[in-house]
Amino acid sequence: MRTEARASGSNLLATTTTKDAMDIPPPSTYTQAEAYAPMEAAAAEAVAALPDFPGFEWRLWSELPCSHNGVIDPNYVEVEIEYRFTLPDSGTPLVRQTYVEVLREFWSGLGYQILRDEPVHVPDRLDHNLYARREDGIGLWYWVAGYTVLRIQSGAVPISDPADIEYVPPSGGIRPGSKYDKVGKYFPEGIPEQEAVAPFESPDSYEDSL
């Protein structure tokens, strides 16, 4: 089983082969529906570690296809959650440099495997690509580019019935259900009412969603 994910604003394609192409799909810690809560908890955890946090511009949920032996497997999907800074905040030394250093130390301290930590040279700008992975298969990108983003990825997980996907409130100052909370396609009947999360803080617990 193979999943592919492209870092925002980048021509760099990161490919993770989780089993040889001839093997059956690998076991997964989560299903698609189960993955959102621990992924959002990972995002909230990262936000809490960042000093002088300015807030995100928006949150986006999406999926990437998973392939097996070169053929897309309709039974598997990769969940992707992206938090993006505003363009002005994306250009500050705090977001472009300090946060790379903080997250590198923070994720390493938690025992996450740092798989990429590299500068990316583009005309008139030095970007950065920091990628860590947890034992449960969840990947964490911090991609410094024109827009800087925090992206959380599930790896290949069994696809779920859309009705089984539960809403998880965003972190980083985004108001749940607002136009900046870009998850509406998953909840065609409307996003469930949520108690707003305090700006730049994470919910006290995601336990009820796990």
Side-chain angles (χ1 to χ4, degrees):
M1 176 71 65
R2 171 171 296 179
T3 60
E4 297 181 331
R6 189 183 301 274
S8 178
S10 167
N11 291 323
L12 181 64
L13 190 65
T15 302
T16 303
T17 303
T18 53
K19 262 188 176 256
D20 292 337
M22 296 304 293
D23 287 350
I24 62 174
S28 175
T29 303
Y30 310 106
T31 65
Q32 178 188 3
E34 293 167 344
Y36 294 94
M39 291 171 68
E40 286 288 356
E45 185 179 60
V47 168
L50 299 175
D52 301 317
F53 188 72
F56 288 119
E57 180 178 22
W58 51 250
R59 168 182 76 163
L60 175 68
W61 285 5
S62 60
E63 303 94 33
L64 294 167
C66 297
S67 63
H68 175 63
N69 200 19
V71 178
I72 291 177
D73 189 333
N75 297 311
Y76 278 76
V77 70
E78 177 158 24
V79 176
E80 187 170 271
I81 297 174
E82 180 176 290
Y83 283 91
R84 190 176 80 176
F85 289 97
T86 65
L87 189 58
D89 286 336
S90 293
T92 64
L94 177 69
V95 170
R96 296 184 64 84
Q97 300 167 19
T98 302
Y99 285 178
V100 172
E101 297 168 3
V102 170
L103 289 175
R104 178 191 298 118
E105 181 176 354
F106 180 64
W107 288 336
S108 296
L110 291 174
Y112 300 169
Q113 185 180 10
I114 304 295
L115 297 179
R116 290 198 176 186
D117 184 3
E118 57 194 16
V120 179
H121 295 271
V122 298
D124 304 320
R125 196 177 70 216
L126 180 63
D127 295 341
H128 202 95
N129 182 16
L130 179 66
Y131 176 67
R133 189 165 62 204
R134 309 191 325 185
E135 288 187 357
D136 61 1
I138 288 177
L140 304 100
W141 287 91
Y142 190 72
W143 179 251
V144 176
Y147 281 98
T148 296
V149 302
L150 172 66
R151 179 175 289 135
I152 316 297
Q153 297 171 324
S154 67
V157 294
I159 198 166
S160 297
D161 188 307
D164 293 333
I165 297 174
E166 297 183 0
Y167 181 79
V168 182
S171 302
I174 297 170
R175 184 167 60 84
S178 70
K179 66 179 181 179
Y180 303 106
D181 186 16
K182 299 181 180 296
V183 300
K185 74 174 185 177
Y186 296 89
F187 307 99
E189 296 182 359
I191 291 175
E193 290 188 8
Q194 299 284 323
E195 182 176 346
V197 178
F200 319 137
E201 295 181 3
S202 62
D204 291 335
S205 173
Y206 285 92
E207 183 177 355
D208 292 339
S209 299
L210 293 173

